[in-house]
Amino acid sequence: MKKWIIGPLAVSLLFGSSQFVSAANNPLKDLKRVDSLSLNSAIDMAVDNSYNLALLGLKFSALDNKQGDLEAQKDELSVTGSVYKYKLPTDPMDILTDPTYRIPEDATPDQLLWLGTTIEANTVINGMMDGISDIVDGMNKLVRSQRNQLEVAIEQMDTNKKKTLLETDKAREGAILQVTSQYVTLLSEKEQIATTKEYVALLENDVRRAQILESYGGGSKENIVKAERAVRTQNEQLNILEKKYQADLVQLSYDLGIEYNPDLVLEDIPLPELQPVERKDTNRILAKSYDLKMKDKEIDQAKWEETHTDTASDDGEDFLELSTRIAKLQGEQLYVEQAKKVDQIYNDAETAYLGAVTADNEYQDVLFDYNNNNIRYEKGFISAFDMNKLKFTLTQAETKANLTKLKYFVITRQVEAMENGLII
């Protein structure tokens, strides 16, 4: 089963082309044949075959392995023991009075001939010991620096692991939302195709009527030409809609890892009951934001590094301090941006609700008028030709109401995703 990668999400009813990117190394022969599809099954396929989710899982494993390797490296680095700080005497009087040498008080000059050599040897040894001490101190400093670098890297790995888990949840929520929008778009296109076909049939009746009237002298050739042009125009529009539907169906099929079937049956979704969208507290929504949670991890990491990183100069400390301030400012900026998105999504949902309510009311009005006219038709006051016109008017109103409800359905799903943390 092939996987796909989630691209930028554009959550509205009339989406552009899909942003999914398919795996190049998946042969088409492995695609599964499906004759019917529901929204829930499409969502399951999308999540199960998401390359984003698979890659994020591998990324987490890689970070975990790298963190373990860094911790092992840190454990292997140990500070070298210090050199015993002892100075051999190099002053003649210090040597003579040093009990270590056990020099008799009545020693003659001839017996002290060795003193010069001892002073020279002690001087050389002291210099060597100082050099060794400096080397050991330098090595210890280097080891401490390396250990600190490893500690910082380990902390970074841990932060990246936490961010990856958030990215995984975000990708899963995004996959559900995007495949929902794709599926609903196809349902909307089907609805428009059916309505257009009915309109074409109605216009073809106009052509036949114009031809009959012309044959009896009650019409003109010009009326026939106008009617035929209207049919041609709608057939062209129908052809565009059908090609768009098949193109989107190809994309969805390939995205889900199933074989393209031009006759694939898409199960309808129950049209939602129209209810006003209830706004929840913005701060509570932002507290669940995946993006803000990831930014908080970055801020915590910057603070940790500022406190725990060994620097060689004041410039290094200033850099760490500025990095923390930058991370905090970026967090504040992101908070404002996400708050605006929350407000915009709620506004879009409210607009979609009002549009759906208006379209539904218009449909009910048209239905009421149609039923009244149907009574007149049955009594012979309205012709079958005019009644067909009125019936299509009802179909148009019903289609519009259904499309606005589908749009409302998608935006409510976006609201749910937003309230779960996916703010896009």
Side-chain angles (χ1 to χ4, degrees):
M1 198 63 116
K2 105 178 175 49
K3 294 181 171 65
W4 44 264
I5 296 179
I6 303 170
L9 297 175
V11 186
S12 62
L13 179 61
L14 302 179
F15 290 89
S17 60
S18 170
Q19 299 294 325
F20 296 157
V21 180
S22 303
N25 60 349
N26 263 304
L28 293 177
K29 64 181 181 179
D30 292 338
L31 299 182
K32 179 182 177 182
R33 173 78 178 188
V34 176
D35 294 322
S36 65
L37 191 67
S38 68
L39 176 57
N40 288 336
S41 61
I43 289 173
D44 290 340
M45 291 178 185
V47 174
D48 291 342
N49 297 294
S50 168
Y51 257 139
N52 265 15
L53 294 174
L55 290 173
L56 287 169
L58 292 174
K59 178 182 177 182
F60 182 87
S61 298
L63 290 170
D64 191 52
N65 291 334
K66 185 61 177 178
Q67 183 179 11
D69 179 62
L70 292 173
E71 288 174 345
Q73 292 182 45
K74 188 188 78 169
D75 292 339
E76 291 177 358
L77 284 175
S78 59
V79 178
T80 304
S82 61
V83 178
Y84 182 56
K85 300 294 184 180
Y86 177 75
K87 291 284 188 179
L88 295 175
T90 56
D91 183 89
M93 291 305 299
D94 291 339
I95 295 175
L96 292 175
T97 58
D98 192 332
T100 304
Y101 292 92
R102 299 179 180 178
I103 301 174
E105 294 182 359
D106 58 350
T108 65
D110 291 341
Q111 293 175 319
L112 298 177
L113 290 176
W114 55 269
L115 188 59
T117 305
T118 300
I119 292 173
E120 184 178 1
N122 286 357
T123 301
V124 172
I125 291 173
N126 286 340
M128 291 175 59
M129 295 304 296
D130 288 341
I132 293 173
S133 179
D134 290 342
I135 292 174
V136 171
D137 289 343
M139 291 178 63
N140 288 340
K141 184 178 180 180
L142 179 61
V143 168
R144 282 191 291 268
S145 176
Q146 291 176 335
R147 283 179 63 88
N148 181 250
Q149 292 175 14
L150 289 171
E151 288 170 353
V152 172
I154 290 170
E155 188 69 20
Q156 290 173 344
M157 292 300 107
D158 189 63
T159 296
N160 286 334
K161 282 168 57 180
K162 293 175 181 176
K163 288 176 60 180
T164 300
L165 292 176
L166 291 170
E167 288 173 359
T168 302
D169 292 339
K170 178 183 177 181
R172 183 178 292 106
E173 196 79 42
I176 294 172
L177 184 58
Q178 175 132 347
V179 78
T180 297
S181 67
Q182 265 194 301
Y183 192 93
V184 170
T185 296
L186 286 168
L187 292 181
S188 301
E189 291 170 348
K190 279 182 59 180
E191 188 96 18
Q192 294 175 68
I193 289 171
T195 302
T196 304
K197 285 182 177 179
E198 186 173 335
Y199 189 39
V200 169
L202 186 67
L203 293 176
E204 288 174 344
N205 284 336
D206 287 346
V207 173
R208 287 190 291 271
R209 182 172 183 272
Q211 290 172 339
I212 292 173
L213 289 175
E214 195 269 340
S215 65
Y216 286 99
S220 65
K221 189 72 175 178
E222 183 181 359
N223 291 335
I224 298 175
V225 171
K226 288 181 179 179
E228 289 175 338
R229 286 176 181 173
V231 171
R232 184 179 70 244
T233 299
Q234 286 305 309
N235 274 324
E236 290 172 350
Q237 182 65 28
L238 177 61
N239 185 47
I240 293 173
L241 287 172
E242 290 177 332
K243 286 185 176 180
K244 176 68 166 57
Y245 174 82
Q246 290 300 326
D248 289 344
L249 183 59
V250 168
Q251 187 64 60
L252 177 64
S253 301
Y254 195 44
D255 291 340
L256 300 182
I258 60 177
E259 179 184 335
Y260 165 62
N261 177 6
D263 299 319
L264 177 66
V265 177
L266 297 178
E267 298 179 13
D268 290 331
I269 59 175
L271 292 178
E273 180 181 352
L274 297 179
Q275 294 181 342
V277 177
E278 181 181 351
R279 290 188 180 234
K280 293 185 178 180
D281 182 69
T282 300
N283 290 328
R284 291 187 178 182
I285 294 175
L286 295 176
K288 294 183 177 180
S289 167
Y290 295 120
D291 290 335
L292 285 174
K293 285 181 178 179
M294 285 187 278
K295 179 56 67 175
D296 285 342
K297 299 300 180 187
E298 294 176 8
I299 294 173
D300 291 341
Q301 177 66 30
K303 290 179 179 178
W304 188 93
E305 291 185 21
E306 182 182 357
T307 305
H308 294 83
T309 302
D310 295 336
T311 57
S313 65
D314 291 340
D315 289 337
E317 293 181 2
D318 291 343
F319 170 79
L320 293 172
E321 181 184 353
L322 289 173
S323 296
T324 302
R325 290 172 60 187
I326 290 172
K328 289 180 179 179
L329 286 174
Q330 289 175 337
E332 293 172 4
Q333 181 182 17
L334 180 60
Y335 189 93
V336 173
E337 292 173 354
Q338 296 255 290
K340 289 180 179 178
K341 289 180 180 179
V342 169
D343 186 62
Q344 183 61 54
I345 292 172
Y346 274 132
N347 287 338
D348 292 343
E350 290 168 352
T351 301
Y353 165 74
L354 293 175
V357 169
T358 299
D360 191 59
N361 289 336
E362 290 175 351
Y363 167 68
Q364 296 299 327
D365 291 341
V366 174
L367 178 61
F368 179 81
D369 293 340
Y370 174 80
N371 290 334
N372 288 336
N373 285 315
N374 192 48
I375 295 174
R376 297 187 182 96
Y377 166 71
E378 292 174 349
K379 293 181 178 180
F381 295 116
I382 297 178
S383 68
F385 178 82
D386 290 334
M387 199 62 199
N388 284 335
K389 293 277 189 180
L390 292 172
K391 182 180 179 181
F392 179 71
T393 301
L394 178 64
T395 300
Q396 280 184 310
E398 184 179 17
T399 298
K400 181 180 178 181
N402 290 341
L403 291 179
T404 55
K405 285 182 179 179
L406 287 172
K407 182 176 182 180
Y408 171 78
F409 174 82
V410 172
I411 193 64
T412 55
R413 290 299 178 272
Q414 186 181 5
V415 169
E416 289 179 6
M418 175 189 72
E419 292 173 351
N420 288 334
L422 180 65
I423 304 176
I424 55 174

